[in-house]
Amino acid sequence: MQVAGIIAEYNPLHTGHTGLMARVRETLGPDTAVVCAMSGQFVQRGGAAILRKHVRAEAAVRDGADLVLELPLPWAVSSAERFAAGGVEVLAATGAVTHLAFGSECGDAAVLTEIARCLTTEAYHAGVRRFLNEGMSFAACRQSVVRELLGPEKAALLETPNNNLGVEYCKALLLRNSAIRPLAFLREGGAHDSADAVPGSAGAIRRLLRQGRREDALSLMAPSMAPLYRSEEDAGRAPVLLETCQRAILSRLRSMSEADFAALDQGREGLYRRLYAASRSAATLDALLEDAKTKRYAHARLRRMVLWAYLGLTPEDFPETVPYLRVLAANETGRTLLARMRKTAAVPVLTKPADVRQLSPAAQALFALEVRATDLYALAYPDLSAAAGGSEWRTGPVMI
């Protein structure tokens, strides 16, 4: 059996996502199994997922995936490089995945791998240090060095978000010397976080929900996602918007010292000083981010720092490796894969939350982070009566 892995957020699941699964099976064969490494309650750009993770995982399995595993919190809310590395590690740890499938603006795995290989060289790292010293943003440094080493045509590929993420996937595979083969597809539909309300843009769907255009948003969701969204809405658990908790977030930030902010600035570039100063006066999250941002720093990086602060995460909480594979949803094919993974998986497979107590201290520490994060996530539900704590311990995988 061919087994294709996909790293995703499904925030929410839309027809572009289901289309990728269909194209995977067109390429590798109709019996190909699809395993997803999916972010949990919070996402890479520093926000809350619009729906809780088990609901998004259920939609994925109902609409094309066979097995959904959780991308643990520290990797899910980190830079693109760490996000990709964590997703690759989850898929590789299954011992079953043969291909890594993703969409990109160029759809060429070979050229993305060539760029990824360039990013692992000393010449690249030396070039980045040189340009950073000139005050350029990291993204601009990265592209400038690739232009010097590989030429302008390949450097231009780094101007688009999904090519960038594809390069990080390929780099993670190279650094692991993995036998998993990258499989790039030409991305269809709207660009990532596109402002245009077209199929293929989760960002557009979220914007429509924020604007109160519910029916327009539902029409762009995948077939199983829309009714699940309605059900969550009826239960008072959707949509989940981090700004619902902005007073709690601002309170947390104002209670932190400058040294607390410094611990979150892993680039050691002084960004924490701007965020600390902004937190003393800003009365909204939007104002906070606006006051702290500069041309040098990506907005997403600021949002991640704010999210880490709210969740009480620190760089010391980042495990060296993924200590377990947590199952969020599966169908019959997925259950067959799980049985196979009992022999092939590199780490324990977690299907019952309570079983984490039998695992290593690192695994228990990571699960404790997930428990805290989910309890804070629930406070962003529209109906607080649905936000009782401890749900992480009570919620098992969705088996279809």
Side-chain angles (χ1 to χ4, degrees):
M1 180 191 295
Q2 302 272 42
V3 181
I6 295 176
I7 302 167
E9 293 179 330
Y10 297 149
N11 185 34
L13 188 77
H14 55 67
T15 52
H17 296 133
T18 57
L20 176 60
M21 297 182 210
R23 292 162 78 190
V24 165
R25 291 190 171 100
E26 288 172 5
T27 302
L28 298 179
D31 295 331
T32 300
V34 173
V35 178
C36 301
M38 191 193 78
S39 301
Q41 314 292 34
F42 296 94
V43 293
Q44 196 264 335
R45 288 176 174 260
I50 204 82
L51 292 163
R52 56 196 178 94
K53 57 192 176 187
H54 285 86
V55 174
R56 288 159 30 238
E58 178 180 350
V61 168
R62 291 190 182 278
D63 282 337
D66 296 300
L67 174 64
V68 180
L69 304 171
E70 183 171 12
L71 175 61
L73 178 70
W75 287 272
V77 296
S78 289
S79 66
E81 180 180 31
R82 278 188 161 178
F83 174 88
V88 167
E89 186 174 351
V90 167
L91 296 176
T94 66
V97 172
T98 57
H99 294 77
L100 170 57
F102 56 90
S104 76
E105 291 83 2
C106 74
D108 189 334
V111 73
L112 296 177
T113 299
E114 181 185 0
I115 297 171
R117 187 171 285 107
C118 172
L119 302 190
T120 67
T121 64
E122 179 52 37
Y124 165 77
H125 292 295
V128 167
R129 288 192 294 269
R130 172 164 49 87
F131 283 115
L132 280 174
N133 289 335
E134 295 176 9
M136 293 172 63
S137 70
F138 176 75
C141 292
R142 191 169 178 255
Q143 192 169 1
S144 295
V145 177
V146 171
R147 185 181 297 111
E148 287 184 352
L149 297 176
L150 297 180
E153 186 175 338
K154 292 186 173 83
L157 297 179
L158 295 176
E159 294 174 0
T160 48
N162 293 285
N163 279 341
N164 266 293
L165 197 50
V167 166
E168 292 300 340
Y169 292 150
C170 293
K171 186 175 77 176
L173 291 173
L174 289 171
L175 292 175
R176 294 181 64 87
N177 195 26
S178 176
I180 295 174
R181 286 165 282 177
L183 192 62
F185 292 90
L186 190 65
R187 183 176 170 83
E188 297 177 347
H192 183 71
D193 274 354
S194 167
D196 300 320
V198 295
S201 171
I205 296 173
R206 296 193 301 274
R207 260 184 288 277
L208 288 171
L209 290 171
R210 283 186 166 90
Q211 293 165 6
R213 297 169 59 187
R214 175 178 175 274
E215 292 306 314
D216 290 336
L218 289 170
S219 72
L220 297 175
M221 293 182 190
S224 293
M225 186 80 271
L228 286 169
Y229 178 87
R230 291 190 185 96
S231 178
E232 287 295 288
E233 193 177 59
D234 291 343
R237 294 190 294 260
V240 180
L241 304 171
L242 198 57
E243 49 264 41
T244 303
C245 295
Q246 70 175 341
R247 289 192 182 204
I249 296 170
L250 292 169
S251 174
R252 165 66 177 155
L253 295 179
R254 288 193 186 183
S255 70
M256 291 170 60
S257 68
E258 189 170 358
D260 294 330
F261 280 92
L264 298 176
D265 191 1
Q266 293 173 277
R268 300 290 183 264
E269 299 174 65
L271 177 58
Y272 74 92
R273 292 191 182 93
R274 296 188 62 86
L275 197 57
Y276 172 75
S279 72
R280 304 299 98 173
S281 59
T284 67
L285 281 179
D286 285 344
L288 172 81
L289 296 170
E290 187 65 28
D291 290 349
K293 77 173 185 179
T294 70
K295 290 183 178 179
R296 181 170 182 175
Y297 304 116
H299 214 162
R301 183 174 169 191
L302 278 168
R303 289 197 298 267
R304 281 194 298 272
M305 286 182 68
V306 170
L307 180 61
W308 276 56
Y310 177 54
L311 298 180
L313 291 174
T314 68
E316 288 71 32
D317 293 321
F318 215 107
E320 289 187 12
T321 60
V322 173
Y324 56 74
L325 300 177
R326 187 178 184 192
V327 180
L328 296 180
N331 61 15
E332 185 176 351
T333 299
R335 290 192 289 275
T336 299
L337 274 174
L338 287 172
R340 177 174 159 191
M341 285 164 53
R342 292 192 185 100
K343 299 178 180 179
T344 63
V347 294
V349 178
L350 191 62
T351 53
K352 297 178 182 177
D355 287 348
V356 76
R357 296 189 176 100
Q358 310 304 317
L359 302 184
S360 68
Q364 294 183 54
L366 175 60
F367 197 84
L369 291 179
E370 302 284 4
V371 170
R372 185 172 69 202
T374 291
D375 285 349
L376 291 173
Y377 175 85
L379 294 178
Y381 289 164
D383 184 353
L384 269 180
S385 68
S391 65
E392 199 75 9
W393 290 107
R394 299 189 298 269
T395 309
V398 179
M399 295 296 183
I400 297 171

